[in-house]
Every structure is written in C-alpha cells, then in structure tokens.
Amino acid sequence: MASMMATVFKGIGKAPLFTKIPKPVLQNASDVIVKIKKTTICGTDLHILGGNVPQTETGRVLGHEGIGYVVDKGDAVTNVDVGDRVLVRCITACGHCHYCQEQRHAHCPTGGWRLGTLIDGMQAEYVRVPHADHSVFKIIDNVKEGTAMESAMLMTADVLPTCYEIGLRDGAFPKHKDASIAVVGAGPLGLASILCAKNDDISPEAKIFAIDMKEPRLEAAKSMGATSLILNDDGNAVEQVMEETDGRGVDFVVECVGTPSGWDVCQDIVAVGGEISILGVHGKPGNIKLEKLWEHNVSIHTGMVHCHTTPRFMDQIAFENFRADLLLSHEFNLSEIEEAYDWFARPGETGSLKLVINNDIS
C-alpha cells in the first residue's frame, strides 16, 4: 500500500506527530483525491489538541483548509478534472439535501465539518475529499502559482467565510455612520472580521474596536481598519470601552476568543439593543449574565460556518484586490509542521497570525 506523510492527532494534551500513514484512496464515486500544495493551521486545531472537540479521535489526520491538485476522481465527479488546481473548503456538502438546498451546508447529514475531525484532513501530502462537486473549487489561472494571491486563497476555505457568515451574520451588522463594532480577540478570527467589515460597505465614520492582550495584534488590527485599540493586559477593557462610548457600549460584538473571560467582556460591553456573535470554540461552560441582559434587549448568535461565500471571496481576492494576504504572517514547510504548531500556539511571542504550510515532500 502506498504511503504518505501526515500530521496525526495523538491525543488530548499531546503535540501532533508528523508521521507516515497509508495514502488515501477513493471510497465513493463523488470523491476526489487532492495532492496538497498549501495548507494552514487553524485555532480549532489547537482546540482539538486541548480536548475541546471531543468528536476527534486519536489517529486522525488534522487540517481542514487546503490548496492542491486533483490527482484522482470518482466517476460521479463532473465539476473538476484530474490536474485541476483547487481550493478545498472546510465544509463538505452533498448539494442535494434539504440543508444544502438552503445553503446550510454545515448541517448536511453526509457532509458538514468532517475534514480533520471526523475524517482525515489536509495537513498531509494527500487528502480524500467527499462530495467533490460541491466542496472543491477551481482556482482560476489569473491567480498565479507561488504568489501571495495564491496563498491568500487559503483564507477562503474557513476563516473569511466563518467571520462573515457567522461573525458578521452574512452582512447583517450595523454599518451606518454612528454604528460601533467590537472584536474581542485580535487573532486571525478578529482580524478577518475587521477585514470583512471594512470590505462590506461599513461607513468610514463607524467605530471598530479591537480588544486584545497583545500590542502587536492590536497594531495588526489597526492596519486592517480598527479605529479604537483596547489593550486588555490589565483586565480593564470594559472600562476603556465604556469610557470611549460615554457609557453606552457597543452595538455589535464579535467574540473571537473561546474563553469564559472573553465571553464576559462581550456581555459587559454590549449596548442596549445590541448583538453578540460568537465565533470562539468554547470547550468549557460560560455564564450568561441574565441578571443584566434580560432587560437589555440583547440578541446572541451562534453558528457553524456553511462556506456558501467561499466562491465569492475567491473572486474578490482574484479580481477586487481583497487583501486576505494580510492575515498571513509566516511560512513553513510541511516537513516542519511540528515546529509550526509550536510557533502558532505562541502568538504573543512569535507574532503568528495564519501560517502558510507548503508541501515540500511531494
């Protein structure tokens, strides 16, 4: 049996292992096999290592974002051919069920988020992708090989759709000149949320708060459009925001941390009649401050990304100068992915945002 190198989950609290495993083969007529060219590490991968995604079994190949070449396909696949350069998004979809017809691909009974958690993922030389006709997308020739634009396409597999569809509620966030938005956590999710908001006709007079415990991430947020930087290293973010808003709070809060303390900040800064959108992966319970929120007419939104906006973001990067490459901070080779995980897990020291992992093996 042919083999390949892959990044394997070895259990909660353990570093992933880059090791040799069997190369994937077609299992269904709707499958493709993709030779990975570029992949990345997601904060959700760290949550898997920390035990916050219990559905992921030991031995699973990690990774749910990738660019590569189709090297084999099942007889039912019609939208891509062997040799095509493609983007593989984090969500697979059959394209025919009730949920797929409503573009709620995350809830497809035979799709949804499976890659890198329920089936082997993309931090490897090769990956099997089910439901290929609705889960992989050709990258046009206008996106040249080996360019920053090609690497930026990786961001359309997860982080951009997640921040727009869930964080910014498919564009249903306040955009008028008196509006205020806050991202709690200026890591890749928070930064991508700012980038998407600035790209979606928000008024230049609207306030965009970025809240984080690290100054370099706040500077990155400023470069992407944040207007108010809140350093929370002393735990006084709520007081700073309330002072800047004359005690009113923020209209629309995007939670991008996945911790009880971050969630508390969101609840304490949301304005009367405001909204909180939850993007963080919460592996521990968090308290809802009903004693405060019940009379504030606050709406709280959660959700799993559907990635129905992936093609749109691909077009915006290719044709509209959407600078998704600003989310990328460092590059590693696939053979260095164990080091890359350590680097990504220490953003305060390394300055890491999203990484580009290049297949240097095959």
Side-chain angles (χ1 to χ4, degrees):
M1 179 180 291
S3 63
M4 68 171 185
M5 296 298 293
T7 311
V8 176
F9 175 52
K10 298 304 290 182
I12 296 170
K14 298 180 180 179
L17 179 66
F18 192 59
T19 188
K20 185 178 290 188
I21 66 168
K23 183 178 172 182
V25 296
L26 297 173
Q27 296 181 17
N28 301 295
S30 62
D31 293 349
V32 294
I33 304 296
V34 174
K35 178 182 177 181
I36 293 296
K37 179 182 182 184
K38 296 175 182 285
T39 185
T40 186
I41 301 172
C42 180
T44 305
D45 295 320
L46 299 185
H47 281 291
I48 290 173
L49 301 183
N52 295 337
V53 189
Q55 67 190 28
T56 311
E57 297 180 348
T58 300
R60 180 67 61 220
V61 176
L62 297 170
H64 50 264
E65 303 148 276
I67 289 172
Y69 299 93
V70 177
V71 295
D72 199 4
K73 71 172 192 172
D75 293 340
V77 177
T78 60
N79 285 350
V80 294
D81 292 313
V82 171
D84 285 344
R85 183 176 49 147
V86 296
L87 182 284
V88 185
R89 67 184 186 186
C90 64
I91 300 295
T92 57
C94 73
H96 307 294
C97 69
H98 167 76
Y99 295 109
C100 285
Q101 291 300 305
E102 293 185 341
Q103 292 194 321
R104 298 174 183 247
H105 307 305
H107 303 292
C108 174
T110 58
W113 179 38
R114 293 175 178 263
L115 289 162
T117 179
L118 295 176
I119 63 175
D120 286 342
M122 288 183 261
Q123 292 167 8
E125 291 182 74
Y126 297 88
V127 64
R128 178 185 71 89
V129 185
H131 299 313
D133 277 348
H134 303 280
S135 308
V136 303
F137 302 87
K138 291 182 186 179
I139 298 176
I140 61 172
D141 292 340
N142 182 60
V143 179
K144 301 302 182 184
E145 299 255 0
T147 62
M149 183 181 288
E150 182 186 56
S151 294
M153 285 286 169
L154 272 174
M155 303 299 96
T156 72
D158 183 356
V159 67
L160 290 176
T162 294
C163 292
Y164 187 75
E165 295 174 22
I166 307 303
L168 298 175
R169 304 200 63 232
D170 269 320
F173 63 95
K175 305 173 187 176
H176 56 83
K177 66 181 182 65
D178 296 319
S180 57
I181 296 174
V183 296
V184 179
L189 283 176
L191 296 176
S193 295
I194 294 169
L195 205 59
C196 288
K198 293 295 290 185
N199 194 58
D200 201 45
D201 299 323
I202 191 172
S203 169
E205 299 177 54
K207 283 189 175 181
I208 300 178
F209 291 87
I211 302 171
D212 203 274
M213 299 177 69
K214 303 295 182 182
E215 288 186 358
R217 288 199 158 184
L218 292 178
E219 289 303 314
K222 182 179 179 180
S223 73
M224 295 183 201
T227 60
S228 296
L229 308 181
I230 305 296
L231 183 63
N232 194 34
D233 57 345
D234 290 332
N236 64 346
V238 174
E239 290 81 359
Q240 293 182 64
V241 171
M242 286 303 177
E243 182 176 349
E244 287 204 30
T245 59
D246 296 323
R248 179 173 173 271
V250 178
D251 299 322
F252 194 94
V253 184
V254 186
E255 185 278 316
C256 304
V257 183
T259 64
S261 59
W263 169 233
D264 285 344
V265 170
C266 295
Q267 296 180 83
D268 289 339
I269 66 172
V270 67
V272 170
E275 301 176 72
I276 304 174
S277 227
I278 299 174
L279 285 183
V281 177
H282 288 262
K284 297 179 180 178
N287 293 321
I288 297 179
K289 298 182 178 182
L290 289 176
E291 75 282 1
K292 173 184 177 181
L293 299 182
W294 76 269
E295 63 177 358
H296 278 204
N297 294 85
V298 169
S299 299
I300 299 173
H301 310 281
T302 68
M304 173 67 79
V305 67
H306 304 296
C307 283
H308 63 82
T309 58
T310 290
R312 191 184 84 182
F313 279 118
M314 292 178 73
D315 285 344
Q316 288 179 337
I317 291 170
F319 299 113
E320 299 177 22
N321 197 34
F322 184 76
R323 293 294 309 279
D325 59 294
L326 295 174
L327 298 170
L328 305 172
S329 62
H330 301 85
E331 295 199 19
F332 287 83
N333 289 325
L334 184 59
S335 61
E336 302 170 316
I337 197 161
E338 292 178 0
E339 177 187 347
Y341 260 92
D342 176 67
W343 187 273
F344 185 68
R346 297 183 291 110
E349 301 170 44
T350 65
S352 172
L353 298 175
K354 292 292 284 185
L355 307 180
V356 179
I357 311 295
N358 298 295
N359 182 358
D360 62 324
I361 298 172
S362 57

